[in-house]
Amino acid sequence: MSASTTERPVIRVESVTRVFGGGRGRVLAVDDVSLELPPNTVASIVGESGSGKTTLARMMLGLLRPSAGAVYYAGTDIATYDARRRRQYWRSVQGIFQDPYSSFNQFFRVRKILNDAFHLWPQRPARREREERMAAALALVNLKAEEVLRRYPFELSGGQAQRLMIARIFLINPAVLVADEPTSMIDACSRASILEALMRLREEQGTSILFVTHDMGLAYYVSDALYIMSKGRIVENGPAQRVMENPQDPYTRRLLADVPRLHEEWL
Ligand SMILES: Nc1ncnc2c1ncn2[C@@H]1O[C@H](COP(=O)(O)OP(=O)(O)OP(=O)(O)O)[C@@H](O)[C@H]1O
Ligand SMILES: [Mg+2]
């Protein structure tokens, strides 16, 4: 199932700004941010709570309009898409969020949630293949098909729901995955296995992943490139190793001061 990675398009954020509200309640959530996510790359946006990470992620997913600047996919400003093209975009660029329950229809069983992913395929596989692929995707995130397929999302734990989201991504095979704190509800032990599953997504399908996290250790562990975000701005970016070993910005150094647990916890 390995995908040709060279044909997968680049997603590029150019001088994007987002303002909420006006007058004295005005919030500059994202302030002139640019970044590029080439194919087959894992990058992380790291910053403390309220730094604008989710707002940026939502703009990249086309769920929120920038106040200024633009998001380009394969060279086209995604704000210019019509409804049909927008649906195509959402097949290619998938998001997973902090609150996993919000991404599922609560009235559908897990089987239907996963089965519906095949509607996004150019050609829907036969029933037997769908069953096999669903079971394989669930196994990749350490869920047992016979245990979860019959359940409703609200019958899953937070961690199970987050793993289900990732299983669904495996079935959709997007070019880009924007993952906003995808492991926030998972204990450290199963977190490692989820991260491994996400890395497999990149290896096997060439998916580029943008991680959004406040956890510098996690970001370093999974990323090629790091973007450090503070108060709506990217204060530093570069190859993960360089940013970790030789941070230039005082804010990055502050984030790094929290990381000594990195090695016990992640490796
Ligand atoms: N819909 C909205 N209306 C008004 N203000 C908003 C809205 N969404 C976000 N904000 C504000 O924009 C700023 C950035 O929020 P955002 O959710 O992007 O931060 P974050 O980095 O994702 O934080 P966290 O790590 O807590 O998830 C915050 O000050 C937040 O209160
Ligand atoms: Mg957030």
Side-chain angles (χ1 to χ4, degrees):
M1 205 161 65
S2 100
S4 156
T5 58
T6 47
E7 289 159 30
R8 305 208 114 167
V10 171
I11 187 164
R12 188 160 53 86
V13 172
E14 212 170 274
S15 299
V16 155
T17 292
R18 174 68 202 209
V19 178
F20 290 111
R24 292 178 63 191
R26 184 176 183 273
V27 177
L28 182 54
V30 171
D31 182 8
D32 194 18
V33 163
S34 298
L35 64 87
E36 190 171 295
L37 191 63
N40 204 17
T41 303
V42 180
S44 288
I45 300 177
V46 194
E48 65 199 350
S49 182
S51 54
K53 305 181 299 292
T54 295
T55 306
L56 176 61
R58 286 172 57 79
M59 289 191 285
M60 292 178 70
L61 289 164
L63 301 173
L64 191 68
R65 285 243 172 177
S67 308
V71 176
Y72 294 89
Y73 182 66
T76 306
D77 178 352
I78 65 168
T80 65
Y81 288 160
D82 60 15
R84 192 182 61 88
R85 193 64 194 81
R86 182 170 299 267
R87 278 196 302 276
Q88 283 173 359
Y89 181 68
W90 285 332
R91 271 171 226 177
S92 310
V93 181
Q94 285 274 316
I96 54 181
F97 297 98
Q98 278 164 314
D99 172 11
Y101 299 105
S102 67
S103 30
F104 303 125
N105 186 327
Q106 296 295 321
F107 300 110
F108 291 167
R109 292 183 198 268
V110 170
R111 174 185 298 285
K112 175 161 173 54
I113 289 168
L114 290 181
N115 215 353
D116 282 352
F118 295 108
H119 291 310
L120 302 177
W121 285 37
Q123 199 169 7
R124 194 160 174 257
R127 175 146 201 257
R128 188 182 172 149
E129 186 186 344
R130 295 203 305 271
E131 292 293 326
E132 283 169 9
R133 286 187 182 272
M134 286 195 283
L138 288 169
L140 279 169
V141 296
N142 292 335
L143 289 174
K144 290 204 179 73
E146 63 274 17
E147 280 173 21
V148 296
L149 281 175
R150 290 169 43 82
R151 293 205 206 156
Y152 291 96
F154 59 80
E155 295 175 316
L156 302 176
S157 72
Q160 286 173 329
Q162 282 183 322
R163 283 183 274 161
L164 176 63
M165 276 197 303
I166 295 166
R168 192 173 155 272
I169 297 292
F170 264 102
L171 295 178
I172 297 174
N173 183 13
V176 177
L177 173 66
V178 177
D180 191 346
E181 303 272 14
T183 61
S184 59
M185 292 188 178
I186 299 172
D187 58 88
C189 185
S190 17
R191 196 182 299 161
S193 75
I194 299 305
L195 292 173
E196 221 166 86
L198 281 171
M199 295 307 110
R200 227 172 286 161
L201 196 65
R202 184 251 286 259
E203 275 163 36
E204 289 176 21
Q205 305 186 339
T207 305
S208 281
I209 303 175
L210 186 71
F211 266 112
V212 172
T213 182
H214 59 268
D215 188 329
M216 191 74 170
L218 164 68
Y220 173 67
Y221 177 61
V222 300
S223 306
D224 306 308
L226 296 178
Y227 289 86
I228 312 299
M229 197 162 177
S230 171
K231 299 188 179 116
R233 298 190 69 97
I234 302 292
V235 295
E236 176 162 9
N237 71 283
Q241 186 107 12
R242 200 284 292 153
V243 174
M244 276 305 266
E245 285 172 0
N246 188 15
Q248 302 297 307
D249 191 87
Y251 180 74
T252 314
R253 290 197 199 113
R254 240 180 64 210
L255 286 177
L256 278 170
D258 294 335
V259 179
R261 62 202 169 76
L262 168 69
H263 291 283
E264 307 99 71
E265 208 174 311
W266 297 108
L267 303 178

